[in-house]
């Protein structure tokens, strides 16, 4: 177990956690060119919120960004984050859409797809695994780590066994909130490695200030791969610095293969890029502050930074602690879903509505109603029956719908979009339109970029996308 591999998450998760994914394409490409020469196992560059924000804020085609990243990374594998049947959106999509998206992602340069489900419902990742394998990608199945009466070590170990049976090529412990404790990390890595020979990757945000110890203990337990960010984009709601992991690994006798010159060059550029966004107030310095209360509230770092921003915009920042206290209450009512996209958005929005309205569940977004109806999968634990009745009345309980029951929409999307364009829509354009119909292809030079209609639900007072998972 002497060798440990490093992943770099700078332009995806570091960018997303500290800058709400606002890094411009030119900076992404220049950083990838430098990071490509360090010797990382993989660069995570796509998926998560990058697709949404490329369209919504950067006014760029996410597909074109991926192709340019692939050209810039000549030596290193590229990875992306996929929300299982939710793809990179906020609801479940049919299997034709899923298969086309996965195939195009791999064809345009992705090597490794890390797939997870917000509820750890393996029915929601089964077809993703199948399609990733079909098109020659490396499928890394991730457990969404959280803490609750039902989320025990044996629960996660059993998930890993099932993921291995589905065909996973590697396993990720995805600690999106940074709540994994050092000894728990050691024990969990040991337990997982005792039941599978698959490589184990650990992912943990530094929000609570514990990740140095967490990664040290995980490496002592034999973890194979560690997620990092280059130091100017590390810390706080982001990830541990690669430089720190290299020093820690050497201290305990774990070998790390990397180019010292390449790492230095990447740091120099990343430092300049970070300063650019600090000067423009897009790099959220507040997100760098250690917040041990995360261990109590279990709020993912990105959700926290965007929650603070959203409350600030509404002149309600003084309500932050009250909202934070409300989040675990809503989570318990909802059957302890892990706080990861889209459940983090849903629980966070509901908690905020409860606080701002001064009454629990007086206003409920449609997404919460659909969750209670089983549209997102099986809840980890029982949903509070009184809360369900308050929200849905006497609606009969429904079993989660089968994935195969989802109606294919690709052909309809192509027709609708082609009519708008006056030409036949490309496959990638149609997929983007399915995922984010509030943006349409109206500019042939830059693709999907012009907002044409509101995609928000009138019942959702807090913008759903602001609580992006990290």
């Amino acid at each position: 177990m002497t060798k440990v591999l490093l992943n770099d998450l700078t332009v995806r998760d570091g960018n997303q956690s500290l800058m709400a994914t606002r890094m411009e394409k030119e900076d992404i490409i220049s950083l990838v060119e430098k990071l490509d020469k360090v010797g990382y196992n993989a660069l995570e560059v796509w998926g998560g919120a990058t697709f949404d924000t490329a369209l919504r804020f950067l006014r760029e085609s996410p597909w074109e960004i991926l192709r340019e990243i692939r050209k810039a990374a000549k030596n290193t594998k590229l990875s992306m984050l996929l929300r299982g049947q939710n793809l990179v959106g906020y609801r479940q999509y049919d299997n034709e859409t899923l298969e086309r998206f996965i195939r195009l992602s791999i064809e345009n340069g992705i090597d490794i797809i890390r797939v997870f489900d917000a509820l750890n419902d393996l029915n929601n990742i089964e077809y993703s695994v199948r399609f990733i394998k079909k098109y020659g990608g490396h499928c890394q199945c991730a457990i969404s780590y959280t803490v609750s009466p039902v989320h025990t070590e044996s629960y996660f170990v059993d998930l890993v066994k099932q993921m291995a049976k589905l065909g996973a090529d590697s396993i990720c412990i995805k600690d999106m909130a940074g709540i994994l404790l050092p000894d728990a990390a050691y024990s969990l890595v040991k337990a997982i490695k005792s039941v599978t020979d698959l490589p184990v990757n650990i992912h943990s945000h530094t929000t609570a200030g514990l990740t140095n110890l967490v990664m040290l203990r995980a490496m002592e337990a034999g973890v194979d791969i560690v997620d990092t960010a280059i130091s100017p984009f590390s810390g706080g709601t982001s990830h541990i610095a690669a430089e720190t992991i290299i020093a820690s690994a050497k201290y305990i006798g774990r070998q790390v293969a990397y180019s010292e010159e390449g790492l230095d060059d990447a740091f120099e550029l990343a430092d300049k890029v970070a300063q650019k966004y600090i000067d423009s107030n897009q790099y959220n310095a507040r997100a760098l502050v250690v917040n041990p209360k995360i261990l109590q509230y279990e709020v993912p770092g990105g959700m926290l930074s965007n929650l603070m921003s959203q409350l600030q915009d509404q002149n309600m920042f003084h309500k932050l602690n009250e909202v934070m206290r409300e989040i675990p209450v809503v989570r318990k009512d909802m059957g302890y879903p892990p706080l990861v996209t889209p459940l983090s958005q849903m629980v966070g929005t509901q908690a905020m509505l409860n606080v701002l309205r001064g009454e629990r569940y007086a206003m409920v977004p449609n997404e919460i109603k659909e969750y209670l109806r089983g549209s997102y999968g099986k809840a980890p634990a029982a949903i509070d029956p009184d809360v369900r009745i308050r929200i849905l009345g006497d609606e009969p309980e429904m079993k989660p719908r089968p994935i195969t029951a989802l109606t294919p929409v690709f052909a309809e999307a192509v027709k609708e979009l082609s009519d708008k364009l006056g030409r036949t829509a490309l496959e990638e354009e149609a997929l983007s339109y399915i995922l984010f119909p509030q943006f349409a292809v109206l500019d042939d030079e830059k693709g999907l970029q012009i907002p044409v209609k509101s995609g928000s639900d009138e019942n959702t007072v807090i913008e759903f996308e602001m609580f992006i998972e990290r």
Side-chain angles (χ1 to χ4, degrees):
M1 71 174 216
T2 57
K3 190 172 184 180
V4 62
L5 303 176
L6 304 185
N7 290 339
D8 177 82
L9 280 60
T10 299
V11 302
R12 207 290 293 174
D13 214 358
N15 172 22
Q16 191 170 319
S17 295
L18 300 177
M19 292 174 45
T21 326
R22 299 300 196 273
M23 189 183 293
E24 296 171 0
K25 180 175 70 173
E26 292 72 18
D27 294 321
I28 291 172
I29 302 305
S30 62
L31 278 170
V32 167
E33 287 176 342
K34 294 293 186 182
L35 294 165
D36 180 50
K37 298 174 183 176
V38 175
Y40 289 107
N41 171 64
L43 305 178
E44 187 187 77
V45 296
W46 213 58
T50 63
F51 202 98
D52 182 357
T53 53
L55 300 174
R56 192 183 302 270
F57 302 111
L58 302 182
R59 309 298 173 127
E60 299 276 0
S61 164
W63 299 101
E64 185 58 31
I65 291 174
L66 174 57
R67 286 189 285 269
E68 292 192 34
I69 289 173
R70 180 70 279 174
K71 290 177 185 176
K74 302 181 187 306
N75 307 296
T76 315
K77 291 180 180 179
L78 299 181
S79 71
M80 69 166 288
L81 184 66
L82 189 77
R83 301 167 187 155
Q85 210 70 35
N86 294 338
L87 290 173
V88 291
Y90 305 108
R91 62 177 178 82
Q92 290 190 335
Y93 300 90
D94 64 274
N95 275 341
E96 181 186 5
T97 300
L98 177 69
E99 182 171 2
R100 286 177 180 274
F101 187 93
I102 287 171
R103 175 177 54 76
L104 272 187
S105 299
I106 293 171
E107 287 178 359
N108 282 286
I110 292 296
D111 301 290
I112 302 167
I113 298 183
R114 176 180 292 172
V115 58
F116 75 96
D117 178 64
L119 296 171
N120 287 313
D121 184 344
L122 298 188
N123 291 322
N124 290 336
I125 72 166
E126 177 184 354
Y127 289 98
S128 297
V129 175
R130 186 179 302 182
F131 298 143
I132 293 167
K133 304 284 283 185
K134 177 178 178 179
Y135 294 105
H138 175 109
C139 180
Q140 182 175 92
C141 289
I143 57 175
S144 297
Y145 182 83
T146 189
V147 176
S148 81
V150 297
H151 292 97
T152 62
E153 184 177 283
S154 61
Y155 168 93
F156 289 119
V157 170
D158 184 59
L159 270 181
V160 168
K161 290 178 182 177
Q162 295 177 64
M163 288 171 170
K165 289 179 181 178
L166 284 179
D169 295 306
S170 61
I171 299 295
C172 177
I173 301 168
K174 180 176 170 58
D175 174 26
M176 57 280 177
I179 59 174
L180 181 60
L181 298 175
D183 285 348
Y186 181 91
S187 180
L188 182 56
V189 170
K190 280 285 191 185
I192 290 173
K193 292 189 75 67
S194 72
V195 299
T196 181
D197 293 328
L198 295 175
V200 179
N201 191 152
I202 189 164
H203 169 106
S204 181
H205 290 253
T206 53
T207 315
L210 288 169
T211 312
N212 288 9
L213 293 173
V214 168
M215 294 306 189
L216 184 67
R217 293 292 280 150
M219 287 191 292
E220 288 175 338
V223 80
D224 302 284
I225 310 166
V226 175
D227 282 357
T228 68
I230 196 73
S231 52
F233 285 90
S234 70
T237 57
S238 181
H239 291 267
I240 194 167
E243 297 92 327
T244 302
I245 285 293
I246 289 168
S248 298
K250 288 179 179 178
Y251 182 76
I252 62 171
R254 299 293 301 271
Q255 298 173 3
V256 181
Y258 73 104
S259 164
E260 187 171 346
E261 181 181 358
L263 189 64
D264 288 344
D265 287 347
F267 167 81
E268 292 295 335
L269 178 61
D271 195 48
K272 292 176 183 176
V273 172
Q275 189 61 53
K276 168 186 170 180
Y277 292 102
I278 289 170
D279 292 343
S280 64
N281 294 319
Q282 290 177 287
Y283 190 116
N284 188 353
R286 175 82 184 184
L288 292 172
V289 177
V290 171
N291 190 340
K293 284 189 176 291
I294 292 300
L295 298 174
Q296 177 182 351
Y297 301 132
E298 302 184 22
V299 174
M303 178 181 172
L304 175 62
S305 58
N306 280 311
L307 176 62
M308 291 189 293
S309 174
Q310 189 75 355
L311 285 169
Q312 189 76 54
D313 290 345
Q314 297 186 43
N315 296 317
M316 289 287 184
F317 194 83
H318 61 284
K319 295 283 189 178
L320 176 62
N321 288 336
E322 193 176 347
V323 173
M324 292 284 281
R325 287 192 295 270
E326 181 67 11
I327 286 171
V329 175
V330 174
R331 181 173 176 247
K332 180 181 179 182
D333 290 345
M334 297 293 144
Y336 293 108
L339 293 180
V340 64
T341 298
L343 270 303
S344 53
Q345 291 92 327
M346 292 156 60
V347 171
T349 298
Q350 188 63 66
M352 187 179 288
L353 290 172
N354 289 356
V355 169
L356 298 186
R357 298 281 294 188
E359 181 183 357
R360 285 192 175 121
Y361 308 110
M363 178 176 284
V364 179
N366 279 344
E367 291 82 5
I368 289 286
K369 295 175 184 177
E370 287 302 308
Y371 168 74
L372 295 178
R373 293 178 178 125
S375 298
Y376 289 86
K378 188 178 187 320
I383 292 167
D384 187 299
D386 293 334
V387 170
R388 191 182 189 284
I389 290 171
R390 180 181 176 95
I391 295 173
L392 295 182
D394 58 359
E395 278 191 29
E397 289 196 29
M398 299 171 62
K399 293 182 179 179
R401 64 188 172 194
I403 300 303
T404 52
L406 296 169
T407 304
V409 297
F410 182 78
E412 180 184 347
V414 170
K415 183 180 184 305
E416 184 177 330
L417 193 52
S418 297
D419 289 344
K420 291 177 182 291
L421 290 169
R423 63 170 173 81
T424 302
L426 300 175
E427 183 180 25
E428 66 185 49
E429 293 172 334
L431 288 172
S432 299
Y433 186 70
I434 290 168
L435 288 162
F436 300 104
Q438 61 268 53
F439 295 88
V441 184
L442 296 178
D443 183 326
D444 285 343
E445 291 185 0
K446 298 193 93 174
L448 281 124
Q449 62 164 357
I450 309 298
V452 294
K453 63 180 179 178
S454 171
S456 62
D457 185 287
E458 63 182 3
N459 293 323
T460 305
V461 175
I462 310 302
E463 280 194 331
F464 199 58
E465 69 272 12
M466 290 308 295
F467 298 96
I468 299 296
E469 164 273 330
R470 297 317 190 219

